[in-house]
Amino acid sequence: MSATAEPPTGARPAAPGAAVGCWLHGVVRSAGPAVLAGITGMDGGPVRAVPGAGLVAVVSAAPLAEYGEEPLRRNLEDLAWLERAARTHHEVVAALSRAGAVVPTRLATVYHDSDGVARLLAERAAGLAATLDRLTDRTEWGVKGYVGPDAAARAASGGARGGTAVGGAGAAYLRRRRAELTARDEGQRAAAEAAATVHEALAGYAVAAHRHAPQDRRLSGAPTAMVLNGAYLVDTAALSGFTALVAALAGRHPEVRLELTGPWPAYSFAEERPPEPARTLREAAR
């Protein structure tokens, strides 16, 4: 098992004597050498396990010259650095999730040393263990819904019925434009209603569900607006039924085009998360 993401630009092993912290990727029940072998961490080196309270935290070496509080704050404003860091972090979490349940941490959760990570495990052991129990033999699947071809076609042809009657060409243009906007609104309304119905059906089948805010078209890259951005926690044994339900709903609701994605680490359902990095470096420095 290996992660293929490249480390963020500038990531490299710390110079001898340099301070090195711990970038925390996630918490698992166990992580032996066979699980961790070949997984690349934030600095381009291997990840390692930090055990505590019957759990294991998986961390990367994080040279504080790059990942300390001030340099990290600057780097997080660099979109290219942030994209590469997020990809590397996700690849580690995804590799761990293929071996079993994992509670993924938020991006850029950095501790000063392994002792700080071990304290986290001791402080949050009960909640983290309960979350791991809840996620075991389950995976997260995403269903995105976009305004469908039928609705989009209605929007595009909405003004075709206009004529050049009373008022001349200017008035006819305004009528066509009004009809286009009305058709587009009606198409999006129909797609939104279908998306709500789809989400309700999928949520009823899944163990748990979240409906996230739709992505902007500049992020989704889709030609039509997103009306559903759902996440569903599904029992592994029930996956075939879930995918069949998605296909059936797509056939019943042509107003919305459905896209199934996954499996994903259970980012949307790991409510018991380690805290934000605000407590990490400051706490360990005391």
Side-chain angles (χ1 to χ4, degrees):
M1 180 186 306
S2 63
T4 58
E6 298 177 356
T9 296
R12 54 189 177 276
V20 178
C22 297
W23 178 297
L24 178 57
H25 294 284
V27 177
V28 296
R29 285 285 188 188
S30 63
V35 171
L36 300 183
I39 301 179
T40 301
M42 302 305 297
D43 67 338
V47 298
R48 63 185 178 89
V50 177
L55 302 171
V56 174
V58 177
V59 304
S60 289
L64 298 185
E66 181 175 1
Y67 298 101
E69 196 166 349
E70 288 303 322
L72 187 58
R73 184 177 293 115
R74 292 192 299 270
N75 283 329
L76 290 174
E77 295 176 356
D78 179 340
L79 293 182
W81 187 96
L82 179 59
E83 180 182 359
R84 286 186 290 268
R87 185 169 64 246
T88 302
H89 175 71
H90 167 72
E91 289 292 341
V92 175
V93 173
L96 295 173
S97 73
R98 289 192 287 272
V102 54
V103 180
T105 57
R106 295 181 177 90
L107 187 68
T109 301
V110 181
Y111 283 76
H112 192 271
D113 54 28
S114 298
D115 289 343
V117 177
R119 282 195 298 272
L120 160 74
L121 296 178
E123 293 168 1
R124 298 294 185 91
L128 289 166
T131 300
L132 287 167
D133 288 343
R134 183 164 48 81
L135 300 181
T136 296
D137 295 326
R138 292 167 175 167
T139 50
E140 177 173 332
W141 290 81
V143 177
K144 299 183 187 300
Y146 303 89
V147 175
D150 289 354
R154 284 198 299 271
S157 62
R161 296 183 298 275
T164 55
V166 180
Y173 169 79
L174 291 176
R175 286 195 297 273
R176 287 196 302 272
R177 184 61 179 151
R178 188 178 303 113
E180 289 171 0
L181 294 174
T182 299
R184 185 184 66 187
D185 290 345
E186 289 175 351
Q188 292 193 344
R189 187 179 306 112
E193 291 173 355
T197 300
V198 167
H199 176 70
E200 183 178 1
L202 294 176
Y205 188 94
V207 174
H210 284 311
R211 190 169 181 180
H212 300 299
Q215 292 177 326
D216 187 275
R217 284 171 63 180
R218 290 170 294 183
L219 293 176
S220 71
T224 57
M226 181 184 292
V227 290
L228 174 62
N229 187 10
Y232 307 91
L233 187 64
V234 181
D235 282 325
T236 302
L239 178 57
S240 61
F242 181 79
T243 57
L245 178 58
V246 173
L249 291 167
R252 280 181 232 155
H253 300 283
E255 308 93 334
V256 59
R257 177 176 65 84
L258 300 182
E259 178 182 293
L260 177 66
T261 67
W264 302 104
Y267 292 107
S268 300
F269 304 99
E271 288 103 4
E272 179 59 38
R273 294 177 179 269
E276 294 284 1
R279 79 178 279 279
T280 61
L281 299 176
R282 292 194 187 97
E283 179 190 61
R286 288 200 292 269

